[in-house]
Amino acid sequence: MQHAPFFSLPPDTEVIAAGEVLRRRNEVLTSVLHLDTGRVLRGVLDDGVMRHQLGAVEGPFWLDAASALMGLPFPVDMVADTRLQVRRVPIAAFRHSLDALPASARGLLLDMAKGYREQSELAVSRLAQDAESRCAQWLLNHAEADPSGAMQVTLHQRKRLIAAQLGIAPETFSRVLRHLRELGLIHGTGNVLNLPQPRALQSMASC
């Protein structure tokens, strides 16, 4: 969303170094950032690294206007790809500028903001689903029958190495395993995981 003259910007700019995190997913906004110069990556951070990039924007650009317009938490992570110059507008002042717009223009902006957020949320959801699918497929590929005929997986490697094979961060792998436990698709302690519902895992792997 480009800067428009009816949104007044503060005179002071902030300089942000490359690599710094500007926004985190589900962060509640207290200000709105206008990117004057530089390039920002949008995506999902894993272990402090932008492993899942959803796009990049360059200034001039309102970085989080859609969430601010709708009064919702931020849906993705943002990291400075280069040295940035930004201006920070208190969210109350930003919304006051919005209220000064004609009703038709305000409605158009809100509709655009809603569509933008829905696209971002869908992209993040697909990333999470993709990680679950890969983990489910890996478990099935490494499953063996125990003496009773039930399926189980023995983790012969550290979880960090398994995560690297799957192309995800170790934290993501642990989070997916925890979710699978909550769903009742795996259980067990130590290095042995039982798979009580292999068909359900197969359905997840096929998503």
Side-chain angles (χ1 to χ4, degrees), residues 25 41-45 50 52-55 75-79 124 127:
R25 281 178 297 156
L41 302 179
R42 302 173 65 255
V44 177
L45 286 169
M50 186 68 79
H52 306 291
Q53 185 176 329
L54 298 175
V76 299
D77 298 312
M78 279 193 178
V79 177
V124 170
L127 282 177

Side-chain angles (χ1 to χ4, degrees), residues 116-194:
Y116 180 80
R117 272 195 61 92
E118 287 176 349
Q119 288 181 345
S120 297
E121 291 168 352
L122 178 60
V124 170
S125 175
R126 284 177 174 172
L127 282 177
Q129 183 181 40
D130 181 56
E132 289 186 352
S133 299
R134 279 180 279 172
C135 289
Q137 188 62 61
W138 187 91
L139 289 170
L140 291 169
N141 290 343
H142 292 79
E144 297 178 347
D146 66 11
S148 69
M151 302 303 293
Q152 65 178 23
V153 174
T154 301
L155 305 180
H156 296 290
Q157 297 175 304
R158 294 180 180 274
K159 290 182 180 179
R160 182 174 295 274
L161 295 177
I162 297 173
Q165 295 174 24
L166 295 171
I168 59 179
E171 291 76 11
T172 301
F173 184 54
S174 296
R175 185 165 59 249
V176 170
L177 290 181
R178 184 167 59 250
H179 182 56
L180 294 179
R181 288 181 188 277
E182 293 170 352
L183 293 175
L185 300 185
I186 63 173
H187 62 79
T189 58
N191 293 332
V192 178
L193 301 177
N194 299 307

Side-chain angles (χ1 to χ4, degrees), residues 29-150:
L29 300 178
T30 59
S31 62
V32 186
L33 295 178
H34 181 269
L35 176 65
D36 283 8
T37 61
R39 187 170 185 265
V40 172
L41 302 179
R42 302 173 65 255
V44 177
L45 286 169
D46 270 327
D47 197 20
V49 177
M50 186 68 79
R51 301 186 191 277
H52 306 291
Q53 185 176 329
L54 298 175
V57 294
E58 297 185 0
F61 195 87
W62 286 102
L63 290 174
D64 39 22
S67 297
L69 287 170
M70 300 183 68
L72 295 173
F74 203 59
V76 299
D77 298 312
M78 279 193 178
V79 177
D81 190 39
T82 64
R83 180 179 179 273
L84 309 178
Q85 282 191 321
V86 302
R87 299 175 195 261
R88 192 180 300 271
V89 181
I91 197 163
F94 183 82
R95 289 176 178 166
H96 179 73
S97 296
L98 176 67
D99 292 339
L101 294 175
S104 57
R106 186 165 62 249
L108 175 61
L109 282 176
L110 288 171
D111 286 345
M112 294 173 64
K114 181 180 179 181
Y116 180 80
R117 272 195 61 92
E118 287 176 349
Q119 288 181 345
S120 297
E121 291 168 352
L122 178 60
V124 170
S125 175
R126 284 177 174 172
L127 282 177
Q129 183 181 40
D130 181 56
E132 289 186 352
S133 299
R134 279 180 279 172
C135 289
Q137 188 62 61
W138 187 91
L139 289 170
L140 291 169
N141 290 343
H142 292 79
E144 297 178 347
D146 66 11
S148 69

